[in-house]
Protein backbone atom coordinates (compact mmCIF):
# COMPACT_ATOMS: atom_id res chain seq x y z
CA UNK A 1 0.00 0.00 0.00
CA UNK A 2 1.26 3.49 -0.87
CA UNK A 3 0.59 6.43 1.45
CA UNK A 4 1.31 10.14 1.05
CA UNK A 5 2.31 12.28 4.02
CA UNK A 6 1.78 15.91 3.09
CA UNK A 7 3.51 18.79 4.85
CA UNK A 8 2.28 22.30 4.12
CA UNK A 9 3.42 25.57 5.61
CA UNK A 10 -0.14 26.91 5.34
CA UNK A 11 -3.31 24.85 5.86
CA UNK A 12 -6.65 26.26 4.77
CA UNK A 13 -9.59 25.65 2.44
CA UNK A 14 -7.58 26.79 -0.55
CA UNK A 15 -4.19 25.77 -1.89
CA UNK A 16 -1.15 28.04 -1.97
CA UNK A 17 1.30 26.96 -4.66
CA UNK A 18 4.90 28.25 -4.58
CA UNK A 19 6.04 30.21 -7.63
CA UNK A 20 9.13 27.97 -7.83
CA UNK A 21 6.91 24.93 -8.43
CA UNK A 22 4.70 26.58 -11.04
CA UNK A 23 7.71 27.92 -12.94
CA UNK A 24 9.94 24.85 -12.53
CA UNK A 25 11.47 24.27 -16.00
CA UNK A 26 12.18 20.56 -15.47
CA UNK A 27 8.68 19.52 -14.42
CA UNK A 28 6.00 18.57 -16.93
CA UNK A 29 2.50 20.09 -16.68
CA UNK A 30 1.21 16.71 -15.47
CA UNK A 31 3.77 16.52 -12.65
CA UNK A 32 2.90 20.08 -11.58
CA UNK A 33 -0.81 19.22 -11.59
CA UNK A 34 -0.19 16.12 -9.46
CA UNK A 35 1.84 18.21 -7.00
CA UNK A 36 -0.91 20.81 -6.74
CA UNK A 37 -3.44 18.04 -6.09
CA UNK A 38 -1.24 16.56 -3.34
CA UNK A 39 -0.84 19.97 -1.71
CA UNK A 40 -4.61 20.48 -1.83
CA UNK A 41 -5.07 17.58 0.57
CA UNK A 42 -3.50 19.51 3.42
CA UNK A 43 -1.24 18.11 6.10
CA UNK A 44 -1.95 14.47 6.86
CA UNK A 45 -1.90 11.02 5.23
CA UNK A 46 -3.57 10.21 1.90
CA UNK A 47 -3.63 7.13 -0.32
CA UNK A 48 -2.38 6.57 -3.86
CA UNK A 49 -5.88 5.46 -4.86
CA UNK A 50 -7.28 8.82 -3.75
CA UNK A 51 -4.72 10.66 -5.89
CA UNK A 52 -5.42 8.51 -8.95
CA UNK A 53 -9.18 8.94 -8.61
CA UNK A 54 -9.00 12.72 -8.10
CA UNK A 55 -6.60 13.21 -11.03
CA UNK A 56 -8.15 10.61 -13.34
CA UNK A 57 -4.74 9.00 -13.80
CA UNK A 58 -3.71 5.38 -14.18
CA UNK A 59 -0.85 3.65 -12.38
CA UNK A 60 1.82 4.38 -14.98
CA UNK A 61 0.94 8.06 -15.32
CA UNK A 62 0.84 8.51 -11.54
CA UNK A 63 4.24 6.93 -10.98
CA UNK A 64 5.74 8.83 -13.93
CA UNK A 65 4.65 12.12 -12.36
CA UNK A 66 6.04 11.07 -8.98
CA UNK A 67 9.33 10.13 -10.65
CA UNK A 68 9.64 13.72 -11.83
CA UNK A 69 8.78 15.13 -8.41
CA UNK A 70 11.35 12.85 -6.73
CA UNK A 71 14.06 13.68 -9.25
CA UNK A 72 17.09 15.47 -7.84
CA UNK A 73 16.17 18.53 -9.93
CA UNK A 74 12.88 18.91 -8.05
CA UNK A 75 12.86 17.03 -4.71
CA UNK A 76 9.29 17.94 -3.74
CA UNK A 77 8.62 14.28 -2.95
CA UNK A 78 10.76 11.64 -1.27
CA UNK A 79 10.06 7.99 -0.70
CA UNK A 80 10.94 5.32 1.83
CA UNK A 81 9.76 1.87 2.88
CA UNK A 82 9.67 1.31 6.65
CA UNK A 83 10.27 -2.27 7.73
CA UNK A 84 7.98 -4.07 10.16
CA UNK A 85 9.12 -6.11 13.16
CA UNK A 86 9.93 -9.03 10.85
CA UNK A 87 12.09 -6.90 8.59
CA UNK A 88 9.55 -6.93 5.74
CA UNK A 89 8.54 -3.82 3.77
CA UNK A 90 4.78 -3.65 4.22
CA UNK A 91 4.06 -0.21 2.77
CA UNK A 92 5.52 2.67 0.81
CA UNK A 93 5.52 6.19 2.23
CA UNK A 94 5.77 9.24 -0.01
CA UNK A 95 6.59 12.43 1.89
CA UNK A 96 5.36 15.56 0.12
CA UNK A 97 6.36 19.13 0.91
CA UNK A 98 5.71 22.51 -0.67
CA UNK A 99 9.38 23.24 0.04
CA UNK A 100 11.92 21.03 -1.82
CA UNK A 101 13.77 18.54 0.32
CA UNK A 102 17.56 18.89 0.38
CA UNK A 103 19.51 16.31 -1.60
CA UNK A 104 21.96 16.34 1.30
CA UNK A 105 19.98 16.90 4.52
CA UNK A 106 23.07 18.27 6.29
CA UNK A 107 23.88 20.80 3.57
CA UNK A 108 23.54 24.47 4.39
CA UNK A 109 22.68 26.52 1.32
CA UNK A 110 23.03 30.22 2.20
CA UNK A 111 21.55 31.25 -1.14
CA UNK A 112 18.26 29.42 -0.58
CA UNK A 113 15.33 31.55 0.53
CA UNK A 114 13.88 28.70 2.56
CA UNK A 115 17.17 27.69 4.18
CA UNK A 116 15.60 26.97 7.55
CA UNK A 117 13.14 24.51 6.02
CA UNK A 118 15.89 22.86 3.98
CA UNK A 119 17.88 22.08 7.11
CA UNK A 120 15.33 19.52 8.24
CA UNK A 121 17.03 16.17 8.69
CA UNK A 122 15.62 12.81 7.72
CA UNK A 123 14.43 10.59 10.54
CA UNK A 124 16.78 7.75 11.37
CA UNK A 125 14.52 5.23 9.62
CA UNK A 126 14.67 7.32 6.46
CA UNK A 127 18.46 7.40 6.55
CA UNK A 128 18.58 3.62 6.97
CA UNK A 129 16.18 3.19 4.07
CA UNK A 130 18.29 5.48 1.86
CA UNK A 131 21.46 3.57 2.72
CA UNK A 132 19.72 0.28 1.94
CA UNK A 133 18.44 1.69 -1.36
CA UNK A 134 21.91 2.84 -2.43
CA UNK A 135 23.28 -0.61 -1.64
CA UNK A 136 20.53 -2.29 -3.68
CA UNK A 137 21.12 0.15 -6.54
CA UNK A 138 24.78 -0.85 -6.62
CA UNK A 139 23.80 -4.53 -6.62
CA UNK A 140 21.38 -3.93 -9.51
CA UNK A 141 24.03 -2.14 -11.58
CA UNK A 142 26.46 -4.98 -10.91
CA UNK A 143 23.80 -7.49 -11.99
CA UNK A 144 23.10 -5.58 -15.21
CA UNK A 145 26.81 -5.30 -16.00
CA UNK A 146 27.39 -8.99 -15.35
CA UNK A 147 24.44 -9.90 -17.58
CA UNK A 148 25.37 -7.61 -20.49
CA UNK A 149 29.14 -7.51 -20.22
CA UNK A 150 29.01 -3.72 -20.14
CA UNK A 151 30.22 -1.18 -17.58
CA UNK A 152 27.30 0.99 -16.52
CA UNK A 153 28.37 3.23 -13.65
CA UNK A 154 25.39 5.52 -13.05
CA UNK A 155 21.75 4.63 -12.56
CA UNK A 156 19.13 6.57 -14.51
CA UNK A 157 15.99 8.14 -13.07
CA UNK A 158 13.96 5.27 -14.55
CA UNK A 159 16.11 2.62 -12.91
CA UNK A 160 15.98 4.33 -9.53
CA UNK A 161 12.22 4.77 -9.74
CA UNK A 162 11.51 1.14 -10.65
CA UNK A 163 13.82 -0.13 -7.92
CA UNK A 164 11.93 2.01 -5.43
CA UNK A 165 8.48 1.01 -6.63
CA UNK A 166 9.02 -2.63 -7.69
CA UNK A 167 11.92 -3.97 -5.62
CA UNK A 168 15.23 -5.50 -6.62
CA UNK A 169 13.95 -9.00 -7.47
CA UNK A 170 11.48 -7.74 -10.09
CA UNK A 171 14.16 -5.43 -11.49
CA UNK A 172 16.55 -8.37 -11.83
CA UNK A 173 13.77 -10.32 -13.49
CA UNK A 174 13.12 -7.61 -16.08
CA UNK A 175 16.83 -7.58 -16.92
CA UNK A 176 16.70 -11.35 -17.41
CA UNK A 177 13.63 -11.10 -19.64
CA UNK A 178 15.01 -8.30 -21.81
CA UNK A 179 18.37 -10.00 -22.17
CA UNK A 180 16.61 -13.23 -23.06
CA UNK A 181 14.71 -11.43 -25.81
CA UNK A 182 17.45 -9.18 -27.12
CA UNK A 183 20.79 -10.51 -25.90
CA UNK A 184 21.86 -12.25 -29.11
CA UNK A 185 20.34 -9.66 -31.45
CA UNK A 186 23.01 -7.22 -32.60
CA UNK A 187 20.48 -4.44 -33.16
CA UNK A 188 18.54 -4.89 -29.93
CA UNK A 189 21.02 -5.84 -27.20
CA UNK A 190 22.01 -2.20 -26.73
CA UNK A 191 18.54 -1.59 -25.27
CA UNK A 192 19.30 -3.80 -22.28
CA UNK A 193 20.57 -0.74 -20.44
CA UNK A 194 19.76 1.42 -17.45
CA UNK A 195 16.73 3.03 -19.09
CA UNK A 196 14.70 0.92 -21.54
CA UNK A 197 13.80 -2.07 -19.30
CA UNK A 198 12.80 0.28 -16.48
CA UNK A 199 10.41 2.64 -18.27
CA UNK A 200 7.19 2.99 -16.25
CA UNK A 201 4.91 2.34 -19.22
CA UNK A 202 6.74 -0.81 -20.34
CA UNK A 203 8.07 -2.46 -17.17
CA UNK A 204 5.02 -4.62 -16.44
CA UNK A 205 4.69 -5.51 -20.13
CA UNK A 206 8.24 -6.83 -20.26
CA UNK A 207 7.63 -8.91 -17.13
CA UNK A 208 4.40 -10.30 -18.56
CA UNK A 209 6.21 -11.32 -21.71
CA UNK A 210 8.65 -13.25 -19.57
CA UNK A 211 5.95 -14.75 -17.34
CA UNK A 212 3.97 -15.89 -20.40
CA UNK A 213 6.69 -18.42 -21.20
CA UNK A 214 7.10 -21.79 -19.56
CA UNK A 215 9.61 -21.87 -16.76
CA UNK A 216 13.04 -22.89 -18.08
CA UNK A 217 13.74 -26.58 -17.49
CA UNK A 218 16.22 -27.58 -14.85
CA UNK A 219 19.75 -26.73 -15.88
CA UNK A 220 18.71 -24.15 -18.48
CA UNK A 221 19.48 -20.44 -18.06
CA UNK A 222 18.85 -17.47 -20.30
CA UNK A 223 22.59 -17.14 -20.82
CA UNK A 224 23.69 -19.93 -23.14
CA UNK A 225 27.16 -19.98 -21.64
CA UNK A 226 25.67 -21.00 -18.28
CA UNK A 227 23.61 -23.93 -19.57
CA UNK A 228 24.22 -27.43 -18.34
CA UNK A 229 25.23 -29.84 -21.04
CA UNK A 230 22.21 -31.09 -22.98
CA UNK A 231 19.77 -28.51 -21.57
CA UNK A 232 17.22 -27.23 -24.09
CA UNK A 233 15.55 -23.78 -24.13
CA UNK A 234 11.88 -23.61 -23.06
CA UNK A 235 9.16 -23.57 -25.68
CA UNK A 236 7.28 -20.33 -26.23
CA UNK A 237 10.23 -18.08 -25.64
CA UNK A 238 9.56 -14.57 -27.09
CA UNK A 239 10.38 -14.23 -30.77
CA UNK A 240 13.03 -11.55 -31.13
CA UNK A 241 11.85 -10.10 -34.41
CA UNK A 242 8.42 -9.53 -32.89
CA UNK A 243 9.89 -7.36 -30.12
CA UNK A 244 10.83 -4.66 -32.62
CA UNK A 245 7.23 -4.58 -33.84
CA UNK A 246 5.81 -4.44 -30.32
CA UNK A 247 8.14 -1.65 -29.19
CA UNK A 248 8.94 0.49 -32.23
CA UNK A 249 10.42 3.30 -30.11
CA UNK A 250 13.43 1.06 -29.55
CA UNK A 251 14.24 1.33 -33.24
CA UNK A 252 14.89 5.04 -33.09
Amino acid sequence: MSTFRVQRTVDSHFTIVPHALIRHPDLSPKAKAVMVCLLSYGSGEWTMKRLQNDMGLGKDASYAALDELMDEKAMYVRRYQPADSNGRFSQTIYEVSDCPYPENPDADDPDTENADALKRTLPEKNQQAEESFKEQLGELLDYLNAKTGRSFRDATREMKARLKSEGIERCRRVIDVCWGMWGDNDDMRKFVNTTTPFRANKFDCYLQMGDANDEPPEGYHWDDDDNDEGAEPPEGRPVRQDVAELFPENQQ
Side-chain angles (χ1 to χ4, degrees):
M1 180 183 70
S2 297
T3 302
F4 294 97
R5 290 180 178 171
V6 180
Q7 301 175 18
R8 279 175 35 174
T9 55
V10 177
D11 273 330
S12 63
H13 294 294
F14 55 92
T15 302
I16 298 177
V17 183
H19 289 168
L21 171 61
I22 298 173
R23 301 168 183 170
H24 202 298
D26 297 309
L27 290 176
S28 68
K30 182 181 293 183
K32 293 176 181 179
V34 166
M35 185 64 190
V36 171
C37 184
L38 288 171
L39 291 178
S40 75
Y41 294 150
S43 300
E45 293 193 0
W46 311 89
T47 64
M48 178 70 78
K49 189 66 174 178
R50 168 74 181 273
L51 173 67
Q52 292 172 345
N53 288 341
D54 289 348
M55 291 295 298
L57 295 176
K59 177 181 177 182
D60 289 344
S62 301
Y63 282 113
L66 290 173
D67 287 351
E68 291 187 51
L69 295 168
M70 287 188 293
D71 186 82
E72 59 187 11
K73 295 179 180 179
M75 300 292 288
Y76 285 99
V77 177
R78 62 187 181 190
R79 174 189 180 280
Y80 70 93
Q81 289 181 294
D84 60 21
S85 58
N86 296 319
R88 293 174 297 187
F89 297 111
S90 57
Q91 63 176 328
T92 300
I93 304 294
Y94 291 92
E95 292 187 335
V96 182
S97 175
D98 56 5
C99 176
Y101 292 104
E103 184 174 2
N104 178 358
D106 297 324
D108 184 2
D109 185 358
D111 297 326
T112 302
E113 182 178 358
N114 297 313
D116 290 339
L118 293 178
K119 292 179 184 177
R120 290 173 294 183
T121 58
L122 291 169
E124 182 178 351
K125 61 183 179 182
N126 287 19
Q127 293 179 347
Q128 293 174 347
E130 288 298 321
E131 291 173 2
S132 176
F133 174 73
K134 290 179 181 179
E135 182 178 342
Q136 288 189 342
L137 192 60
E139 292 177 5
L140 189 60
L141 281 168
D142 289 343
Y143 189 82
L144 177 62
N145 288 334
K147 181 69 66 173
T148 63
R150 299 174 69 178
S151 301
F152 296 106
R153 297 176 58 186
D154 299 317
T156 59
R157 181 177 66 185
E158 290 83 0
M159 182 183 235
K160 292 176 182 178
R162 297 292 79 70
L163 178 59
K164 288 179 178 180
S165 63
E166 304 293 340
I168 191 168
E169 292 305 321
R170 284 171 62 81
C171 288
R172 285 174 175 160
R173 173 62 175 155
V174 84
I175 292 172
D176 290 342
V177 171
C178 289
W179 186 252
M181 294 188 295
W182 304 332
D184 58 4
N185 184 311
D186 293 339
D187 295 326
M188 297 298 293
R189 71 165 63 97
K190 64 184 177 182
F191 294 108
V192 188
N193 52 34
T194 57
T195 300
T196 302
F198 303 101
R199 294 189 187 281
N201 63 339
K202 291 292 193 293
F203 187 87
D204 286 341
C205 185
Y206 292 142
L207 288 180
Q208 290 169 8
M209 291 177 70
D211 293 341
N213 297 305
D214 296 334
E215 287 295 322
E218 184 176 0
Y220 182 84
H221 307 280
W222 291 118
D223 293 331
D224 295 338
D225 292 340
D226 295 332
N227 292 338
D228 294 345
E229 184 176 356
E232 296 293 332
E235 296 180 359
R237 189 175 178 183
V239 180
R240 291 177 176 78
Q241 58 265 34
D242 291 342
V243 174
E245 298 173 5
L246 286 169
F247 306 106
E249 71 274 14
N250 289 340
Q251 304 303 303
Q252 298 177 357

